[in-house]
Amino acid sequence: RFEYYAIGEMDWKELPGCQNVIHMECDFSSAVTKYYDIHHVRLRAKRGEEVSPWSSIFEMIPYDIAQISPPGVELNSIDGVIKIKISPPEANQVHKMWIDDLSFKYNLVIWENSSNAEFRKQSIFPTHIIDDLAPETTYCLKVQATYPLEYKEGLFSPVQCVKTTHKANVLFCATDVSVLALNMKFHLHWKNQYKQHVTYNVQYLFGYLKKLYEDYSTKWLNVPGCENISDTHCNFSSIITTVSGIFYLRVQSMDEYNQSCLSNEVKVDPLVTNEIGPPDVTVDISNVLLHYQIYPPGGSKSEVMRNHYDLSYRVLYWKNSSNSEEEIETKEIKQTIGTISDLTPSTLYCVKAQAFSIAYNKSSHFSKEKCIKTPGDKILPLIILTVFVVTLIGVLILVLYKAYSKIKYMFFPSCHLPLNLEGFGRQSLNSHYALPTKEPLENCYIIESIITEELNQIGIKDCKHLKQSSRDSGNYSNDDDNSGNKVSEEKLEKEIV
C-alpha cells in the first residue's frame, strides 16, 4: 500500500507474482510505478490451511533503495587499440528510474590477463578508445556506472577479455601532440620524423559530443588557419569561444599519396590547460611613499583572466644595495595599486610582482623588476632654502627702504628753501611776472696793511651799502629779518676790524 492513502486493512493490495511462492525472495518490480512515493510492504507465511500473523511493515522509497544496474559494454579490438561502446543502465526498459542518461559517468577497470596483473582505473565516455596498450596482449575489463548527482555507484558489468592487434606503423603520422597555452592564447605542437612532404589538418571536437551515446566520428571540424599546413604547430585560440567548455584536438597527416593518419587526441579545458603569465609593474616616488601599479597578465585578455581566475598578486620589494643580506619584503594584495612606506632617503628600491589564483592553484613567474631611487634627506635643503628666503626678504626690505628715502627726499625735503625762493612753488603757472635776474654784487677786498680809521669807516660804509643793495634788490622782503641783519652787520664790522 501507499502511505499517503493508508487508512485500514482494505487499502492493502496483493503483489502480482508474489503469491504462494516457495522461495525466500520475490520480484515485484512490475508493481512499482511511483519511484518517489513511500511504499509499505508486509508478508506472512502459510502452510496448508494455517497462516502466520503479518510481519512488521517494511517502509521504502524505491528511488532511495534502488541500485544502479551494470551498463552494457561492447568491445572491438582493431589496429592496436580497443574500442569500447557503452549503453546506459535500463537501456532496454520501458519504465526507467534513471531518466537522465547523460548524467551517468563511467569508470573502467582494465588489467592484463596475467598472474601479476596491475589494475588500472580511469574515467571513460560512452564511446571510448584505449590506445596505450601492448600489442598481441589479452586485456580484461569491466565498467561501472555512477550517478554523481545522487552520489550513487552502480554494479560492475561482467568481466570481458579481448586481445589487442599490432598497430600499423605509419611513418608520417604526427606524434607527441601537446598544447602550450599562456594568457588564453592556445597553440598545438607536434612532431614528425618523416622526411618526405607531409601536410597537416588540425581538427577539433566539442567535448559535450563525447558524452552522448552516438558516434561522433563525423563531428570533427577543421581549425581555421590550420588546414593543409606544413608547419608542426598551430594557433587554435580562435575556436576557444567559451572558457567553460571542453575541447579535443587531433592532427590529421596527409602524405604525397593522399594517405591519411590520425594522431592521438589531446584534451583542452581552457581554464585548467591555460597558464598565467607574469604581470607588468610600474613604480613612482611621491613624497615619502613608493607607488606601484600592477597590470594584469593577458593584455586584451586580462579581463577574462581577472574575472575567471580571481587573481591575487604577490609583491616583492627590497633595497638594491651591495649588501646581499638585505631583507626582501612581501605583500599579498587583491588590488592592482599599492604603496610602500618607511623608505630610506637616497636609496634604490626594486619591486617585482607575481600573479596567482588560489581557485585553480596556478601562479605566474615574477615580472621584471623595476627600480627607483628615493630622494635625499630634505633637512639640509630646507635649511638652505630658509636662509635664502630670509636673506632675500632682508635685501628687499633694504632696497625698499633706500627707495623710500630717495623718494621722500625728492618730494618731501627736510631743509627749507631760501627766503628769496620761499613761496615760488605756490605761484600760479599763469603768472605774468617773471623772476627778476639777480644783480651782480661788488666784491670787497681786505687789505692787510696799515689801515687808518678813515679806511675803516669807508670800508664799513661801503659794505653796508653793498649789503643794503643786495637786500633791496630782491622781489621779496621780510621785516622780521632786521634783527638777523643787524647781527650780521655787527659780525662783519668785527671781521673787518
Side-chain angles (χ1 to χ4, degrees), residues 47-78:
R47 184 177 64 181
E49 297 297 329
E50 296 180 284
V51 293
S52 71
W54 288 106
S55 69
S56 59
I57 296 175
F58 174 70
E59 182 179 286
M60 70 164 186
I61 298 176
Y63 184 84
D64 289 344
I65 67 172
Q67 285 186 301
I68 301 174
S69 62
V73 179
E74 294 182 13
L75 301 179
N76 187 14
S77 178
I78 184 174

Side-chain angles (χ1 to χ4, degrees), residues 180-186 270-281 294-299 301-302 304-306 309 311-314 352-357 362-368:
L180 295 179
L182 183 67
N183 295 339
M184 302 307 293
K185 295 180 181 178
F186 297 85
L271 292 178
V272 175
T273 306
N274 179 64
E275 296 296 336
I276 302 174
D280 290 329
V281 179
I294 302 173
Y295 296 91
K301 298 288 187 180
S302 61
V304 176
M305 300 279 290
R306 188 167 54 249
Y309 283 112
L311 292 176
S312 299
Y313 301 95
R314 187 174 293 109
K352 63 180 180 180
Q354 178 190 44
F356 65 93
S357 170
K362 289 179 176 291
S363 61
S364 71
H365 293 293
F366 276 96
S367 65
K368 294 182 179 178

Side-chain angles (χ1 to χ4, degrees), residues 284-331:
D284 191 15
I285 288 289
S286 174
N287 295 329
V288 293
L289 297 177
L290 188 153
H291 304 270
Y292 59 86
Q293 182 169 1
I294 302 173
Y295 296 91
S300 60
K301 298 288 187 180
S302 61
E303 185 174 353
V304 176
M305 300 279 290
R306 188 167 54 249
N307 293 341
H308 292 280
Y309 283 112
D310 190 23
L311 292 176
S312 299
Y313 301 95
R314 187 174 293 109
V315 180
L316 271 60
Y317 63 96
W318 67 95
K319 294 179 182 180
N320 192 355
S321 63
S322 57
N323 185 5
S324 59
E325 297 181 357
E326 290 289 352
E327 184 177 358
I328 297 179
E329 303 289 343
T330 305
K331 284 186 175 183

